[in-house]
Amino acid sequence: MKKSSLISQANQLLDSGQYFLALDLLLPALDSWPKDRLLQQLAAKGLIRVGAERRAEQLLGPLAGQNPSDEESIGLLARIYKNRWLQTGDPADARRARDAYLRGQASGGYYTLINAATLSRILGEHALAESLAQQVVALCRQAQEANPYWALASLGEALLLLDQPEAALAAYGEAIAHAGRRYSLRVSSLQQLQLMANHGIEVPAELFDWLKPPTLLIFTGHMIDAPERQPPRFPAALEPAVSAAMDAELERLDARIGFGSAACGADILFAERLLARGGELNLVLPFNLDEFIRTSVAFAGDHWVERLQRLLPQANLRYATRELYLQDDLLFAYTNRIISGYALLRAELLATQPSLLALVDGASRSKTGGALSFVSSWPFAERLHRIDLATLRASTPLPAISTIPTQVPETPAAQPERQGYSRQIKALLFADFVGFSKLRDEQAPVFVNQLLAEVSQRLRPVTPADAFLNTWGDAIFAVMDNACQIATYALTLSDAVREESDNCTELDTPIGIRIALNAGPVFEMQDQITGKQNFYGFHVNRTARLEPITEGGRVFATEQFAALLIAEQAEQGQSEFHCEYLGALSFAKAFGSEPVYAIRRKSEQQR
């Protein structure tokens, strides 16, 4: 892709709040054009948005120091300082951010000045705030920009600082008219207005309604009936009524962003209706695409397969796993949780909360991984919306059901033989000690009997009784039932190794640890060599291939693990862990390139 096209596409993704996809373009591009200032700035902007401020600061520090007229780099670096103040609440951090914004005065732009003005007002320096705000008003009214959103929004913010709320409303109203689907613009303005209101600056209530974040919907629903289904639940003749009901709900909720899967019937209808209203579609498939079409689409007819194939190029497509189905229905329930996790990650970036829209028949039996199962496990009852199939059937004239199917679907292709074994969804850990290979022979007992002994003592309180643990040499393999358990274990292990290595003065080689986390379906079987139980499968190998590229002292994870972790926290009413997006990284041993996150506790500052 040409650099100009890449920059244009990255800008569009950043403006629409699709920060992960933007970084997937920008971070590899920096390998090709490492000195390109605009690429560095765009990457830093995305990294700040996803919480990867340490990496953003590494990019921005040299840029901001090179050119006092580089308002964008100076402003982005100041934004990092501002975010730190928002975490600490320390006025000294607020003053550092304000002073950093003031360094952008040499550029003659309004971006850094308006931020300096608002922070000055918050710091109680009213005269300086008023002087800066007046300068911003003059600059914004003179600005000639193709996309004037920020000039108009900055004008509105300055007028609020000058206690001119009616004029501010007019400026913001004009700005919003230019925003369109650039959701990140609205979110940034909304967060700034909330900050001002929290510090005693008067903000008209209308602005919070005008700038509210886009509605983000997760969808679940029943498949279209197979030709022979009796009694009918979602017969094909009900499709027009379902489509009309969906359109009404999407309009009522003002849905703009959707997450779901792509089975025939409700899933595909939702995707089509969302795209028809200009929405953004995110699809997650539970396993291999060909397998998914065979199991969840093709039985309803070729026209459903064609509809799915038309949708795929218009969607952001992800997989819970790319492996085969193997009749493991638990993959559908796992996918529901992955969908929830992806939606929650995206919603956090857009300062909103996702809702669940379900097309369900309450009289149906709840099946693991089905729509009713998704509804029953959804933790936010106040954000649950239903379309009732039974009501639609009762109010819609339907043709008589023939007792002889008019079209019998072909017999599905045989599944590969799995010899009686089924998979389980597990959270997986591989860890490797850094520096172990440099230890001299006489230091091995110190490593095992002192360092490992102390680390083991610290791990015992956070190790579930049913956890699987295995070690060999300087490696650890762990398997647990859920992501929160193994994230706690991993971070405790990381902290313990760092601290106990510092305390173990008999080792003259510093010892660190790399930790990789993953989640997915795995087989538990007996090791035919040792006679002990062990775990096998693609996702065990995948975890092992992530570990060598993990930075020492950090915990890296696949995107499926991050999504599952976020979903589990929501189900448990917790918010302990932060998932920092690192971009698409190349795994070891030519295992391919995949999105990777760093996991840390929210209470910890980035190291």
Side-chain angles (χ1 to χ4, degrees):
M1 183 186 299
K2 290 182 178 180
K3 185 166 64 172
S4 59
S5 299
L6 185 147
I7 288 171
S8 176
Q9 187 175 345
N11 265 315
Q12 291 175 8
L13 290 169
L14 289 170
D15 283 348
S16 65
Q18 300 186 72
Y19 304 119
F20 300 134
L21 294 177
L23 288 171
D24 286 346
L25 284 177
L26 291 164
L27 295 178
L30 285 175
D31 293 334
S32 300
W33 299 286
K35 301 297 184 181
D36 188 284
R37 180 178 293 270
L38 181 54
L39 282 175
Q40 290 174 303
Q41 291 169 342
L42 291 174
K45 185 182 295 186
L47 289 167
I48 291 169
R49 284 295 182 182
V50 302
E53 293 178 352
R54 183 172 64 93
R55 294 184 71 197
E57 191 170 4
Q58 290 171 349
L59 287 173
L60 293 168
L63 294 180
Q66 289 169 4
N67 183 357
S69 297
D70 183 358
E71 185 184 31
E72 183 71 7
S73 297
I74 292 169
L76 288 170
L77 188 60
R79 175 59 190 264
I80 294 173
Y81 301 153
K82 178 181 172 182
N83 287 348
R84 288 178 185 162
W85 162 61
L86 292 174
Q87 291 178 351
T88 66
D90 187 341
D93 288 331
R95 186 163 283 105
R96 182 190 185 196
R98 190 276 310 279
D99 292 345
Y101 279 120
L102 281 176
R103 286 197 291 273
Q105 279 184 299
S107 69
Y110 57 81
Y111 160 42
T112 50
L113 277 187
I114 187 57
N115 282 281
T118 298
L119 283 172
S120 295
R121 176 73 173 266
I122 290 170
L123 288 164
E125 299 177 18
H126 292 260
L128 177 58
E130 182 176 347
S131 173
L132 293 171
Q134 288 171 344
Q135 294 178 55
V136 170
V137 169
L139 289 169
C140 290
R141 285 177 171 160
Q142 295 167 8
Q144 300 291 325
E145 299 178 358
N147 296 307
Y149 178 88
W150 284 119
L152 291 164
S154 298
L155 173 61
E157 185 175 338
L159 291 168
L160 288 177
L161 295 175
L162 295 170
D163 301 318
Q164 300 178 38
E166 293 301 322
L169 280 171
Y172 274 109
E174 193 175 347
I176 291 167
H178 290 278
R181 290 178 58 185
R182 296 184 292 165
Y183 303 128
S184 69
L185 279 60
R186 292 169 174 252
V187 171
S188 293
S189 293
L190 180 64
Q191 291 173 331
Q192 186 73 349
L193 290 171
Q194 288 171 334
L195 176 66
M196 295 167 71
N198 291 342
H199 287 84
I201 301 170
E202 184 179 351
V203 177
E206 300 97 308
L207 287 179
F208 294 106
D209 290 331
W210 294 356
L211 290 163
K212 65 182 178 182
T215 300
L216 190 155
L217 273 185
I218 302 170
F219 179 79
T220 187
H222 296 306
M223 291 193 293
I224 206 83
D225 288 352
E228 68 276 14
R229 183 184 178 98
Q230 293 290 343
R233 180 178 65 184
F234 186 179
L238 200 59
E239 183 181 331
V242 169
S243 293
M246 280 187 183
D247 283 340
E249 278 297 283
L250 294 176
E251 180 65 26
R252 182 181 71 84
L253 297 169
D254 192 26
R256 299 295 173 187
I257 301 172
F259 284 79
S261 197
C264 62
D267 286 350
I268 288 178
L269 279 173
F270 170 79
E272 291 172 340
R273 304 324 304 156
L274 181 69
L275 289 172
R277 57 185 280 113
E280 173 202 312
L281 178 62
N282 300 271
L283 296 178
V284 182
L285 300 187
F287 37 78
N288 173 281
L289 175 59
D290 291 338
E291 285 272 281
F292 179 75
I293 290 174
R294 187 190 64 78
T295 60
S296 301
V297 184
F299 74 84
D302 290 343
H303 66 290
W304 282 102
V305 176
E306 293 166 1
R307 288 165 75 170
L308 170 61
Q309 290 172 338
R310 286 195 297 269
L311 286 174
L312 293 179
Q314 303 177 73
N316 300 319
L317 181 63
R318 295 181 176 91
Y319 290 84
T321 177
R322 291 180 181 269
E323 298 306 290
L324 298 180
Y325 171 35
L326 302 182
Q327 291 93 40
D328 284 330
D329 285 345
L330 56 79
L331 293 178
F332 295 106
Y334 173 57
T335 301
N336 289 344
R337 301 179 84 192
I338 295 297
I339 291 170
S340 292
Y342 283 144
L344 287 160
L345 280 167
R346 181 73 185 288
E348 183 179 4
L349 297 176
L350 293 174
T352 188
Q353 296 175 317
S355 296
L356 177 65
L357 175 62
L359 177 80
V360 290
D361 184 339
S364 298
R365 180 174 59 88
S366 179
K367 179 182 178 182
T368 300
L372 287 169
S373 173
F374 201 156
V375 169
S376 66
S377 64
W378 178 247
F380 309 108
E382 73 282 4
R383 301 201 302 275
L384 172 62
H385 310 280
R386 298 173 187 254
I387 300 173
D388 184 44
L389 271 173
T391 301
L392 293 178
R393 285 198 308 271
S395 60
T396 305
L398 298 174
I401 304 296
S402 171
T403 57
I404 301 175
T406 57
Q407 179 184 359
V408 178
E410 295 181 4
T411 303
Q415 285 280 307
E417 176 60 48
R418 64 180 180 193
Q419 300 179 336
Y421 290 98
S422 61
R423 291 170 293 183
Q424 308 168 49
I425 301 299
K426 293 289 186 178
L428 310 165
L429 174 151
F430 264 97
D432 184 74
F433 285 92
V434 180
F436 176 84
S437 61
K438 297 180 180 179
L439 293 178
R440 299 189 305 277
D441 198 44
E442 67 270 20
Q443 292 180 313
V446 177
F447 174 81
V448 174
N449 295 324
Q450 293 187 30
L451 179 63
L452 284 189
E454 292 297 329
V455 169
S456 175
Q457 288 280 20
R458 294 178 59 170
L459 287 173
R460 285 174 187 167
V462 298
T463 306
D466 57 353
F468 172 88
L469 299 173
N470 193 13
T471 66
W472 53 95
D474 61 339
I476 301 172
F477 177 42
V479 183
M480 299 183 191
D481 287 335
N482 68 66
C484 286
Q485 286 178 337
I486 212 161
T488 300
Y489 183 93
L491 291 168
T492 303
L493 172 61
S494 181
D495 291 344
V497 170
R498 183 180 66 255
E499 294 164 12
E500 296 303 331
S501 177
D502 290 342
N503 295 335
C504 192
T505 57
E506 294 183 48
L507 293 177
D508 53 18
T509 298
I511 299 295
I513 195 165
R514 295 187 300 263
I515 304 174
L517 301 176
N518 183 27
V522 294
F523 291 100
E524 182 177 8
M525 296 183 289
Q526 186 181 60
D527 185 319
Q528 297 302 309
I529 302 297
T530 66
K532 299 177 181 179
Q533 290 299 107
N534 208 338
F535 288 86
Y536 300 88
F538 171 82
H539 287 282
V540 174
N541 298 333
R542 187 171 179 236
T543 316
R545 300 300 174 260
L546 174 58
E547 177 270 312
I549 69 165
T550 301
E551 295 177 13
R554 303 187 78 191
V555 178
F556 282 10
T558 63
E559 68 170 348
Q560 287 84 359
F561 181 89
L564 185 62
L565 180 65
I566 296 299
E568 282 186 11
Q569 287 191 121
E571 293 164 4
Q572 298 169 16
Q574 299 177 358
S575 183
E576 180 180 356
F577 303 106
H578 175 74
C579 302
E580 173 191 329
Y581 189 58
L582 302 177
L585 305 183
S586 296
F587 283 37
K589 296 188 178 180
F591 211 71
S593 179
E594 296 189 30
V596 175
Y597 289 74
I599 309 299
R600 61 178 172 84
R601 296 182 184 90
K602 286 187 175 180
S603 59
E604 297 174 348
Q605 296 292 320
Q606 296 183 61
R607 291 194 293 269

